[in-house]
Amino acid sequence: MAAAVLGRAAGGARRWRALAVPRRGGAGLAVDDTVNGLSAEQRQLRQTMTKFCQEHLAPKAQQIDQENEFKGMRDFWKKLGELGVLGVTAPAEYGGSALGYLDHVLVMEEISRASASVGLSYGAHSNLCINQLVRNGNEAQKHKYLPKLISGEHIGALAMSEPNAGSDVVSMKLKADKKGDFFVLNGNKFWITNGPDADVLIVYAKTDMNAVPASQGITAFIVERGMPGFRTAQKLDKLGMRGSNTCELIFEDCKVPAENVLGTLSKGVYVLMSGLDLERLVLSGGPLGLMQAVLDHAIPYLHVREAFGQKIGHFQLMQGKMADMYTRLMACRQYVYNVAKACDQGHFNAKDCAGVILYSAECATQVALDGIQCLGGNGYINDYPMGRFLRDAKLYEIGAGTSEVRRLVIGRAFNATFK
Amino acid sequence: MAALRVLVGVKRVIDFAVKVRVAPGGAAVQTQGVKHSLNPFCEIALEEAVRLREAGAATEVVVATLGTKASQETLRTALAMGADRAVLAELAEGAAAGPREVAVALAALARRLQPQLVLLGKQAIDDDCNQTGQILAAILDWPQGTFASRVSLEPGAVQVQREVDGGLETLRLRLPAVLTADLRLNEPRYATLPNIMKAKKKPLEVVPAADLGVPAGPPRLRLLQLQEPPPRAGGEKVESVESLLGKLRHAGRI
């Protein structure tokens, strides 16, 4: 086969490698985008991203996880910028692709399929930071910050959580005091994705500690790395999503120019909450990509591994596992893709944005567990990626609002219709 | 600048990273639900054509394929990579074609479109025939430069270089000519998101294969049987040259 010959070619042979062995993964399974209802351009987009990620990211995924570091992150970000996928939802005048949330979900899914931790960093950069700037920034702020974030020259982040304020984010204590043309920030943020690497961060702080209700005292700010009084502390050592650098942010009399208020003073909670809905939608691509990755590895394995004289994929209990994993993934896909399409039509609701990530995150954990089980003992050793898939999947039940909070959002939405 | 049109032939094949399996019956490989993509050598040919246009040496890149409706997706990828327009020579569902049939279709398109250059991949990674470019050149009675690792256009001619055992071989061919691309000709670009969206507006024409003279019925080359190679047997290490010679003699090899 040409593929084997090409594997020995020198120079310029950027992707000819040995014939795929299940253990190292290969092309992955074909995805039925007709059932998924994607347009021709969206299928193209998935194809480009699958190819790009399988070549430039998947081979590094294991190392990124083991070392808890993505050494080539800056270069990779620039390549993503060239592909036009960092500013998927940003207007063309800033270098964006001016497309929709479904396109964004697809990119999120394919990056996560290769490496969920890099996918998480991508989501934080492209949605939490870039999309919030697009939706809430004034012209000056957009022109100043978006171009380099969209080209990949700068890395973005968003900070709302604190050591003592996760689910109860409105009780945050980071203070912002107005002093002339500046706001002076004092306090900490915690669990901040891309914190160690970010050049631009959207930070939520309390400009009014006495507001009633407390939510009316929050303001969003744009902070730059290098602003005096702002520093990052230790990189966190996490169970999963290793390589998606997370850290604590420390503000000690950090001076932020007043022109860096994002949105309106003391109305930051609206920036925060509406951003959360779209964050949940786009990040749902993460669990989808993870579930696809589990299938990409488990299904071929089941048709290579033998026991009792046959391929184990032919035993009924394994057929059952394949069915369960596949149907969970497909059901989640249709929910996520349809809510994304609705948002693209201007139809947003918090209930479904919470619903898609609630459901797909919990399915992803289950599918990842099934994936480990399919590989048996091999699923338990770190030569195979199944353990990493589980550790990465679990994050999605916690970040972007825990499953508990998501359930509250949906329940309360129903309560509100029966007031 | 005088119009210089480049016609690029491409093929939709099973993705290079897929582990191919023989279908029941033994006369085909499994293609249902299997990931397909643009043949890697065709990508290289297309990339070269787009670079020629970007450098101002060519004015238009037309990409064409002989295939079923599914090949439209392959053409869309080619448009997203920079081709200006696409032609699908459409086969009926389930119909097959080999190098001869493809060459006949491309020859008919070449007569219609009058390109100065036809660029193809040297071979497809599914059948590894390495015949289409050569047959096409013969049908058209055009000069051919195969296994190209470097291409440069001159007025009325093209210089093409290929790697041979002794080094590099360079030919100058009068235009119009047929070239086939080898691995180190270039590194193809990705279809970026903005280009995918731009490609939406590019024309994709569908022409029945019969209209281009492709004969109906089975292809000239018929695949009789496929089987997986025998599993590799273990080797044996020996301690000395004498021992090696002895074992080879014993096995009747010398």
Side-chain angles (χ1 to χ4, degrees):
Chain A
M1 273 286 273
V5 171
L6 295 169
R8 292 195 283 280
R14 67 192 164 101
R15 58 195 152 110
W16 314 124
R17 52 184 198 268
L19 285 173
V21 167
R23 171 176 168 152
R24 296 213 196 291
L29 302 175
V31 176
D32 188 345
D33 279 333
T34 312
V35 170
N36 293 332
L38 296 188
S39 70
E41 291 73 39
Q42 284 159 346
R43 288 173 212 231
Q44 277 293 302
L45 177 56
R46 188 202 288 288
Q47 278 195 20
T48 292
M49 289 313 297
T50 307
K51 192 162 124 163
F52 177 79
C53 292
Q54 287 307 315
E55 275 168 49
H56 293 275
L57 185 55
K60 301 180 186 163
Q62 189 182 30
Q63 187 184 9
I64 291 172
D65 177 66
Q66 281 166 350
E67 296 178 355
N68 195 18
E69 194 183 345
F70 183 11
K71 288 200 177 87
M73 186 184 187
R74 291 258 166 203
D75 278 333
F76 188 75
W77 242 238
K78 293 205 183 90
K79 291 202 178 87
L80 288 179
E82 277 162 22
L83 286 174
V85 299
L86 290 179
V88 177
T89 50
E93 76 181 279
Y94 311 105
S97 300
L99 291 172
Y101 290 103
L102 178 48
D103 306 290
H104 204 169
V105 167
L106 291 172
V107 179
M108 181 71 193
E109 186 181 332
E110 287 301 322
I111 297 180
S112 300
R113 184 182 182 181
S115 164
S117 58
V118 175
L120 185 61
S121 282
Y122 163 79
H125 171 95
S126 59
N127 174 265
L128 276 62
C129 185
I130 290 180
N131 200 43
Q132 281 295 67
L133 280 168
V134 168
R135 293 175 69 242
N136 300 290
N138 58 39
E139 278 312 303
Q141 290 165 338
K142 289 195 271 198
H143 275 288
K144 182 172 179 188
Y145 293 107
L146 283 178
K148 288 200 173 134
L149 285 167
I150 291 173
S151 73
E153 200 178 324
H154 278 177
I155 295 179
L158 180 141
M160 58 170 82
S161 304
E162 297 183 358
N164 289 309
S167 295
D168 189 7
V169 68
V170 162
S171 73
M172 64 174 75
K173 296 267 185 297
L174 175 66
K175 246 161 66 87
D177 295 312
K178 186 106 201 294
K179 297 234 165 83
D181 290 331
F182 290 88
F183 282 86
V184 179
L185 271 58
N186 277 290
N188 312 44
K189 291 296 187 192
F190 204 57
W191 298 299
I192 306 308
T193 302
N194 295 346
D197 310 285
D199 304 286
V200 178
L201 305 93
I202 298 178
V203 179
Y204 294 93
K206 282 275 177 74
T207 36
D208 182 357
M209 292 301 255
N210 300 314
V212 174
S215 60
Q216 299 304 309
I218 296 175
T219 304
F221 293 91
I222 304 171
V223 173
E224 292 176 44
R225 200 217 305 240
M227 273 177 177
F230 167 54
R231 62 185 174 92
T232 63
Q234 75 291 3
K235 189 161 76 172
L236 299 174
D237 178 14
K238 308 190 300 293
L239 169 68
M241 297 302 191
R242 295 171 64 76
S244 173
N245 295 336
T246 321
C247 72
E248 181 174 4
L249 308 181
I250 298 173
F251 299 87
E252 289 163 324
D253 289 334
C254 171
K255 284 170 68 173
V256 178
E259 69 207 21
N260 277 25
V261 168
L262 182 66
T264 318
L265 190 69
S266 294
K267 299 287 177 212
V269 72
Y270 301 105
V271 174
L272 191 155
M273 292 301 178
S274 63
L276 268 173
D277 289 342
L278 295 168
E279 174 185 344
R280 286 170 186 152
L281 172 62
V282 172
L283 288 187
S284 296
L288 294 182
L290 273 162
M291 286 190 270
Q292 183 65 54
V294 171
L295 285 168
D296 286 343
H297 285 81
I299 310 281
Y301 181 92
L302 292 172
H303 294 90
V304 167
R305 178 82 180 177
E306 289 191 12
F308 307 109
Q310 55 175 303
K311 307 276 192 266
I312 62 175
H314 292 272
F315 294 125
Q316 287 179 336
L317 291 173
M318 288 299 115
Q319 289 170 334
K321 281 265 186 296
M322 289 191 280
D324 289 342
M325 292 189 293
Y326 181 68
T327 49
R328 282 195 172 105
L329 167 56
M330 289 304 271
C332 288
R333 261 200 182 117
Q334 311 322 309
Y335 190 18
V336 175
Y337 290 2
N338 276 294
V339 174
K341 270 186 212 164
C343 287
D344 287 339
Q345 288 162 20
H347 182 86
F348 301 93
N349 79 54
K351 193 171 71 190
D352 284 304
C353 289
V356 292
I357 197 170
L358 169 64
Y359 199 70
S360 48
E362 293 187 345
C363 283
T365 303
Q366 192 54 57
V367 168
L369 283 167
D370 280 346
I372 292 176
Q373 196 68 13
C374 286
L375 268 72
N378 280 335
Y380 207 66
I381 57 178
N382 287 327
D383 292 33
Y384 290 83
M386 316 313 287
R388 163 165 59 95
F389 297 149
L390 175 63
R391 288 184 287 107
D392 289 345
K394 187 61 185 166
L395 176 282
Y396 282 113
E397 294 184 57
I398 301 171
T402 58
S403 293
E404 288 73 22
V405 165
R406 297 164 196 171
R407 287 189 160 89
L408 290 182
V409 168
I410 297 170
R412 286 176 186 171
F414 280 110
N415 292 156
T417 64
F418 280 86
K419 251 207 292 265
Chain B
M1 191 199 119
L4 196 149
R5 184 175 289 135
V6 182
L7 173 63
V8 180
V10 299
K11 186 179 183 186
R12 176 178 179 264
V13 297
I14 294 179
D15 188 86
F16 81 95
V18 168
K19 186 165 199 285
V20 173
R21 296 186 178 280
V22 178
V29 294
Q30 277 178 345
T31 52
Q32 261 287 16
V34 168
K35 185 157 189 279
H36 284 67
S37 39
L38 181 44
N39 182 44
F41 294 108
C42 299
E43 268 189 347
I44 294 173
L46 174 62
E47 174 67 26
E48 196 64 18
V50 173
R51 286 189 192 188
L52 285 172
R53 192 201 60 218
E54 286 172 346
T59 46
E60 193 191 19
V61 175
V62 182
V63 63
T65 192
L66 174 67
T68 61
K69 212 195 309 238
S71 293
Q72 280 199 34
E73 213 173 300
T74 311
L75 290 175
R76 289 265 163 234
T77 304
L79 289 170
M81 278 178 67
D84 298 299
R85 56 190 171 105
V87 180
L88 169 65
E90 193 175 9
L91 290 172
E93 286 304 319
R100 168 118 190 125
E101 290 73 30
V102 175
V104 164
L106 288 176
L109 280 175
R111 287 188 200 103
R112 263 193 213 186
L113 295 171
Q114 303 279 301
Q116 289 293 289
L117 202 54
V118 178
L119 273 166
L120 306 176
K122 70 173 180 181
Q123 65 200 59
I125 63 170
D126 50 9
D127 53 22
D128 287 327
C129 281
N130 197 332
Q131 297 171 10
T132 308
Q134 292 87 334
I135 297 175
L136 175 61
I139 294 177
L140 290 171
D141 195 26
W142 287 6
Q144 59 181 267
T146 52
F147 306 99
S149 60
R150 203 142 87 89
V151 170
S152 45
L153 277 174
E154 305 169 356
V158 59
Q159 260 200 56
V160 56
Q161 197 172 81
R162 72 170 175 177
E163 295 166 5
V164 293
D165 285 346
L168 296 169
E169 179 187 43
T170 311
L171 296 176
R172 178 180 283 108
L173 311 175
R174 254 199 310 266
L175 297 180
V178 175
L179 304 184
T180 72
D182 206 336
L183 183 63
R184 279 176 287 286
L185 178 58
N186 60 48
E187 200 171 310
R189 65 194 64 189
Y190 290 97
T192 66
L193 184 47
N195 286 340
I196 291 172
M197 299 316 289
K198 277 192 208 132
K200 255 171 101 151
K201 302 192 184 81
K202 296 183 182 176
L204 195 161
E205 192 194 342
V206 179
V207 176
D211 287 6
L212 296 173
V214 177
R220 167 100 43 119
L221 276 180
R222 216 170 319 169
L223 184 58
L224 296 178
Q225 199 210 16
L226 279 172
Q227 60 194 52
E228 305 226 0
R232 251 187 98 164
E236 203 187 325
K237 249 175 122 161
V238 296
E239 294 300 309
S240 68
V241 174
E242 288 74 29
S243 178
L244 174 63
L245 291 174
K247 291 218 188 266
L248 286 172
R249 248 179 232 120
H250 185 75
R253 300 292 184 185
I254 49 172

